[in-house]
């Protein structure tokens, strides 16, 4: 939940916002401190954080910075693909069973061990799904197949990806040949 004057309260003073922010900081500190008292090592949470950053946030960052067609619909789809793939691939540190077995997956002491680069496969799956879903969503809204009232992320107001070419300095450039469709 965003803590701003517009979203939390209709009219919130600066003092009220300060108290809400202080409360959130205390709650976050207490949750973080309570995690250290669990049976699992804090190293497990470090591994989880780096794993989630690589598989979920890295594709989002790459798409936002370098892939022009990316939009909110693709970002949500990429997030869901990465999370579902990562959960299906299992994690022995957390006791998550392996459901999606890649070649070379072996059973050792009653636990499946993945031998393929599972995290990279999850990251690449998200990285591919973000531009694909973004393009399809943009196409559906810009062609009028889906009504504009369903466009929560305002894709219709962005440049249409299916125009084929763009004009720059009086010349026509094909966005497919000069790479501008994906890389701006």
């Amino acid at each position: 939940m965003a803590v701003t004057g517009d979203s939390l309260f209709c009219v919130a003073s600066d003092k009220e916002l300060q108290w809400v922010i202080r409360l959130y900081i205390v709650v976050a500190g207490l949750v973080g401190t309570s995690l250290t008292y669990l049976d699992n090592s804090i190293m497990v949470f470090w591994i989880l954080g780096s794993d989630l950053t690589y598989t979920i946030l890295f594709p989002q960052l790459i798409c936002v910075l370098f892939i022009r067609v990316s939009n909110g619909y693709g970002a949500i789809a990429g997030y869901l693909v990465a999370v579902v793939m990562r959960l299906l691939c299992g994690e022995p540190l957390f006791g998550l069973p392996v459901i999606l077995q890649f070649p070379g997956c072996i059973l050792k002491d009653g636990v499946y061990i993945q031998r393929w680069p599972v995290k990279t496969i999850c990251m690449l799956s998200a990285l591919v799904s973000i531009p694909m879903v973004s393009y399809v969503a943009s196409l559906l809204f810009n062609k009028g197949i889906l009504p504009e009232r369903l466009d929560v992320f305002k894709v219709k107001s962005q440049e249409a990806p299916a125009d084929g070419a763009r004009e720059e300095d009086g010349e026509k450039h094909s966005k497919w040949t000069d790479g501008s469709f994906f890389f701006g």
Side-chain angles (χ1 to χ4, degrees):
M1 173 189 291
V3 181
T4 63
D6 294 337
S7 64
L8 188 58
F9 303 105
C10 292
V11 179
S13 69
D14 289 338
K15 199 158 198 82
E16 290 170 329
L17 286 176
Q18 274 183 339
W19 279 106
V20 170
I21 292 170
R22 286 178 185 162
L23 178 69
Y24 280 154
I25 290 172
V26 169
V27 168
L30 289 173
V31 168
T33 304
S34 67
L35 289 176
T36 61
Y37 292 111
L38 296 175
D39 290 338
N40 295 340
S41 169
I42 197 68
M43 183 61 87
V44 172
F45 293 109
W46 182 268
I47 292 169
L48 174 68
S50 63
D51 182 6
L52 295 180
T53 300
Y54 179 65
T55 58
I56 297 173
L57 294 179
F58 183 63
Q60 304 278 341
L61 177 69
I62 294 298
C63 288
V64 164
L65 293 179
F66 301 112
I67 300 179
R68 190 171 166 192
V69 72
S70 299
N71 59 37
Y73 300 106
I76 289 174
Y79 174 81
L80 292 174
V81 165
V83 168
V84 169
M85 287 279 297
R86 193 62 193 102
L87 289 174
L88 290 177
C89 291
E91 180 60 55
L93 291 174
F94 296 107
L96 286 175
V98 174
I99 297 171
L100 184 61
Q101 297 178 8
F102 292 105
C105 183
I106 61 170
L107 183 63
K108 189 175 190 179
D109 298 328
V111 177
Y112 283 101
I113 307 293
Q114 298 273 24
R115 297 289 182 198
W116 277 53
V118 174
K119 296 172 187 172
T120 301
I121 292 170
C122 295
M123 183 271 299
L124 290 174
S125 298
L127 190 60
V128 168
S129 68
I130 294 171
M132 283 180 22
V133 172
S134 295
Y135 178 76
V136 169
S138 182
L139 199 62
L140 290 174
F141 286 115
N142 287 320
K143 294 288 185 182
I145 297 170
L146 289 177
E148 192 172 343
R149 64 182 168 81
L150 296 178
D151 190 6
V152 178
F153 294 114
K154 306 296 182 214
V155 173
K156 180 130 174 103
S157 63
Q158 297 173 0
E159 178 185 331
D163 62 354
R166 60 183 170 92
E167 283 194 37
E168 200 171 274
D169 299 329
E171 299 178 15
K172 277 201 155 233
H173 297 280
S174 170
K175 63 183 171 184
W176 297 106
T177 57
D178 68 0
S180 67
F181 178 72
F182 285 112
F183 302 110

